[in-house]
Amino acid sequence: MTAAASALPLLTKEECLAQHPFPKEFAAAKRLEWFWHYDVDLSAKDLWTLVADSSRMNRALQVSEMKFEDRNGQRIGSSRPGGFFHEWQEVPWNWVAERFIESVRIYRSGFSKVVYAVFMLQPLSTEKTRLYVYFGAVPKNPLTSLALRLGFPSVGREYAKLLPRLADEVRERRPLSLVQPGPGLSEAAQQRLATIRQDLIAKGLDVRAVNQLLDWIANGDEQELFRIQVRERARAFQVDEDALLRVCLHATRLGLLELSWDVMCPHCRGVSKQNGSLGDISTQGACEVCLIDFGTDSSDAVEITFHVHPSIREVPLRTFCSAEPATKEHIRVQHSVPPDGKQILLPPLPKGRYRLRWQGHKRYGYLDVGVPSGAREIDWRTSSQPCEISVDSDFALQLHNDSSETALFVLETAQWSDLALRPGRIFSLQEFRDLFREEYLSADVQLAIGQQTILFTDMVGSTELYAKQGDAVAFREVRRHFADVFRIIAEHRGAVVKTIGDAVMGAFTSPLDAVLSAKAIHDCFHPGRSDSLTKLRISVNVGPCIAVKLNTDIDYFGHTVNVAAKLQSLAGAWQVALSDEVYFAPGVANWLAKAPAKLEAVRYESPSLLSPISGKRWTVYEGGP
């Protein structure tokens, strides 16, 4: 800490309230107030992570459990501290990430009429931050005033004990004070878990991933276990993501986990509806809190998560605060502004793209932050038309509500979390298709599944094969070659979408995996192979796709699939036709250069296409027609 930082004068309670005024409708009422400050040996970013997750903080502070439900567009909370029932309306919080939080609760029953809380973070250095905590409460009567006077000071003392301990733990990357181990499993559940562990290992699944997952299910914190995100857990366990996903899929089949298809609100990015099966997903979703309806046909609309089966362990949703900033990590600024009101903020934003909106509306603006020649000030109005603005890293944001109703302004990262497991990933995994054959989309649902790499194989000379060898022999050859192609696609982290006659359509999330699979397929059916008459040509393309229902299967459609099929005409036996989108995908050109691969430039032209498709023809083995 620098001398200048340590010498920063302390803010007074009055200065705090000048920046964060008490709610106007209660400002004239007589109130009780508490104001504390703590110097914490953490950066503002690290301290914000703790303060924003007020549910975990409150649990560590031994605050009573709270329950929340949405009623007619309002968030209603309740709790029983000391056995006394409290119920309140949870007003949407105001915050600027890494700078402050404002929380207002308007009580319907309990000791107070209103409680107002402010948390302010003042960076003192890169590794030290001053935290100011203000609580103001308007009691209902003299008796409840006494109860509040007796109870609130203990909160300040608990913060003083907890924050230094958390700072030490965060620096050691082990915030154990915010983690609460599970209550332990019953003897029957322990026996079932042991049997499932043996079964999973016997299937040849990654042993470390199996043990990490099952030990965590037995002993983990229920706040983490309530909604299991495979990608987040893989990072926490430091295991391969695909290995853990396979374990979770098999564990679901064995009754350890339950699979959930969660429809996500595009605004708060929370779960608007959990679906127990893929077929339960409808074409439309809604979020009562954000006051919007939305379609489920975007690539971010559905996330796949897992839940512990209740026969193993009951994992209820337990909350100790609504913790809005922690549950909406993508939102960097959220602030309510009254009609004809203005609010100036100085949000510290990392370089990147952000989206501007206000609650209940689907009109968006975009900020590109970190452009040196960009604007230094922005006047963002509710009447503003959608636009894109470049701003410097240090800029002032003025929220201007020129409407007749209170507006909740939101500034959020444009990029969705990379921790979400999307349908496109799981649909392109062969084990999912093998284990969950009963899963299917409703007939009217089209899911955008993002970027997929589509691979087609086709038997060269199949008509001649049937003519010379007869139907029975040719059919056996086709079936036998399917087995090898299916196996190779699965070994390269892909899935077989369908067969079309003697052709195979496969899907991969990685273009490089598809290219490696194409090479392995040709290696399997090389020209010198004496026990097979199969000669194949292969085409590969990458791009966005949609998933639809075909009979009872999940099929892929769209321009990307169409181009992949058309490219087959550019390849002969033991050749692969790659679109340039595949060739220039990460890692592909480099791998082909090192192979080395014999490549030539090709173009596919058709009146049905807006422009020719450029690509490469890769001759894996010579001698094809």
Side-chain angles (χ1 to χ4, degrees), residues 440-479:
Y440 62 89
L441 284 163
S442 295
D444 57 344
V445 172
Q446 298 180 357
L447 285 187
I449 53 176
Q451 293 283 112
Q452 299 291 315
T453 305
I454 304 300
L455 177 149
F456 278 100
T457 71
D458 183 42
M459 289 186 73
V460 177
S462 59
T463 302
E464 182 181 0
L465 177 66
Y466 275 89
K468 287 185 175 181
Q469 301 296 327
D471 290 348
V473 173
F475 181 72
R476 285 197 298 271
E477 181 70 18
V478 170
R479 297 293 295 175

Side-chain angles (χ1 to χ4, degrees), residues 576-599:
V576 182
L578 309 169
S579 67
D580 275 351
E581 285 73 17
V582 173
Y583 179 75
F584 291 109
V588 173
N590 186 52
W591 185 87
L592 289 170
K594 290 180 178 179
K598 182 181 178 181
L599 302 172

Side-chain angles (χ1 to χ4, degrees), residues 5 34 120 132 137 187 197 250 308 322 327 394 398 466 490 536 597:
W34 297 268
M120 294 177 60
Y132 295 94
E187 185 175 343
R197 189 189 304 264
H250 283 277
V308 180
S322 63
T327 59
D394 297 318
Q398 178 172 265
Y466 275 89
L536 297 176

Side-chain angles (χ1 to χ4, degrees), residues 170-181:
V170 169
R171 285 194 299 274
E172 296 173 3
R173 301 183 182 277
R174 298 183 67 201
L176 299 179
S177 295
L178 297 185
V179 176
Q180 189 176 93

Side-chain angles (χ1 to χ4, degrees), residues 76-99:
I76 305 300
S78 62
S79 66
R80 290 186 177 274
F84 293 95
F85 180 71
H86 293 246
E87 185 177 75
W88 64 88
Q89 177 190 345
E90 187 91 356
V91 177
W93 293 20
N94 294 334
W95 72 83
V96 172
E98 301 176 26
R99 289 298 178 263

Side-chain angles (χ1 to χ4, degrees), residues 56-63 154-155 157-160 162:
R56 285 180 185 270
M57 286 286 286
N58 280 356
R59 185 178 65 173
L61 292 166
Q62 300 183 1
V63 173
S154 64
V155 176
R157 292 191 294 270
E158 291 298 323
Y159 270 113
L162 178 61

Side-chain angles (χ1 to χ4, degrees), residues 137 206 222 245 249 339-340 348 437 451 502 506 508 519 548 602:
D206 186 283
E222 61 191 11
L245 176 54
L249 292 173
D340 297 321
R437 291 186 179 277
Q451 293 283 112
D502 53 31
F508 303 77
K519 175 65 164 60
V548 299
V602 292

